[in-house]
Amino acid sequence: GAGAMAAVRNVEIDPEGTFKYILVRLQRPGGGEQRDIVRGTKAAEFHNHIFEKVNPEMEKLGYECKCLGGGKIEHNSKDKKIRVFGLSTGYGKADHSVTVEILKKEYTDYEITWSDDKK
């Protein structure tokens, strides 16, 4: 039930650097509860590498996943700043304003901004 969804972290991103990220919508088959999560890592050369890792993990928990788009995250943990920008060629641009709201829940003391800049 709701416990399993609560166990899924809103955000899993690298602690430092600039890397690709995707915004993923989790949904119970047949509707019902849904939520959006943010995943990003330097280990991913392409955005679909992130999705290919997240999707099976979430399917095991009984969720359908849909990628809502992607972009890049610049994470500066020293200055406590996160910048969300760019887009995914394959998935299109995520709604960075949504991503920022999700990030703010986890990084409460950070300055978090977004733009449609490519770099």
Side-chain angles (χ1 to χ4, degrees):
M5 198 173 251
V8 176
R9 288 166 57 189
N10 288 322
V11 178
E12 284 183 19
I13 59 171
D14 286 1
E16 191 64 46
T18 302
F19 44 84
K20 292 182 168 67
Y21 94 87
I22 57 171
L23 185 61
V24 178
R25 174 154 294 163
L26 304 183
Q27 192 155 6
R28 286 286 186 209
E33 53 174 338
Q34 62 173 42
R35 68 182 252 226
D36 299 342
I37 61 170
V38 174
R39 295 290 184 269
T41 175
K42 272 187 283 219
E45 192 184 345
F46 299 106
H47 287 91
N48 62 305
H49 292 169
I50 307 172
F51 189 72
E52 283 161 11
K53 186 174 174 292
V54 173
N55 196 34
E57 289 174 6
M58 297 305 149
E59 281 183 343
K60 271 185 213 142
L61 297 171
Y63 297 107
E64 291 170 348
C65 286
K66 182 181 168 207
C67 184
L68 302 178
K72 285 187 170 175
I73 286 176
E74 184 181 15
H75 189 173
N76 182 334
S77 53
K78 185 168 63 76
D79 296 341
K80 295 198 169 180
K81 285 185 179 173
I82 294 176
R83 185 169 76 98
V84 185
F85 64 102
L87 53 81
S88 159
T89 319
Y91 295 122
K93 185 177 79 70
D95 184 339
H96 297 327
S97 62
V98 172
T99 302
V100 165
E101 290 311 309
I102 297 169
L103 289 168
K104 279 179 176 169
K105 289 181 204 167
E106 298 291 312
Y107 296 94
T108 48
D109 55 345
Y110 268 60
E111 181 191 323
I112 305 175
T113 58
W114 70 271
S115 77
D116 287 330
D117 297 347
K118 299 284 187 285
K119 295 189 186 332

